[in-house]
Amino acid sequence: LLLLDLALLAKVDRVSIGTLIGVDALMIVTGLIGALSQQPVARYTWWLFSTICMIVVLYFLATSLRSAAKERGPEVASTFNTLTALVLILWTAYPILWIIGTEGAGVVGLGVETLLFMVLDVTARIGFG
């Protein structure tokens, strides 16, 4: 819903919205496959694929949608830029936490990982609440 909110704020066409939501869904599904994979090579391959999808989504937000929001005026552009910056920062933390957490390299324990994911989730929701 965060992406849909941003896309509607920027007033992009349905094809752009569908593409954005489709790549986001692909990111989520491939991340899930990675988490459920038993072999480390499979885990990291799916993590990489999911992270690439995330980069595509963030690039789309930072370029096409930002341009569309700018065309709607300075107030919309300012709101869009603030919300997009929040998404860029928070979403970048997710794959980093995944790779160092119990699903990836196991550098941080389950308790710390769970706490950090909770903080990320709550922070992302409050920004759009």
Side-chain angles (χ1 to χ4, degrees), residues 77-122:
S78 175
T79 301
F80 183 87
N81 288 338
T82 300
L83 294 174
T84 299
L86 181 67
V87 169
L88 289 169
I89 292 165
L90 293 174
W91 282 28
T92 300
Y94 280 96
I96 294 168
L97 183 53
W98 191 95
I99 201 74
I100 65 170
T102 58
E103 300 294 333
V107 175
V108 297
L110 182 59
V112 173
E113 177 186 15
T114 302
L115 176 66
L116 292 175
F117 272 127
M118 182 197 66
V119 169
L120 282 172
D121 288 342
V122 169

Side-chain angles (χ1 to χ4, degrees), residues 5-62:
D5 287 342
L6 287 170
L8 293 174
L9 177 63
K11 281 204 173 173
V12 295
D13 59 87
R14 289 180 187 213
V15 172
S16 296
I17 292 172
T19 302
L20 187 65
I21 301 300
V23 175
D24 183 48
L26 185 61
M27 174 188 73
I28 292 166
V29 169
T30 54
L32 175 63
I33 293 169
L36 297 175
S37 297
Q38 298 298 319
Q39 301 297 323
V41 172
R43 280 184 176 288
Y44 294 125
T45 301
W46 286 112
W47 171 85
L48 179 63
F49 191 83
S50 180
T51 301
I52 290 169
C53 290
M54 183 200 71
I55 291 167
V56 169
V57 167
L58 296 179
Y59 179 80
F60 195 61
L61 283 176

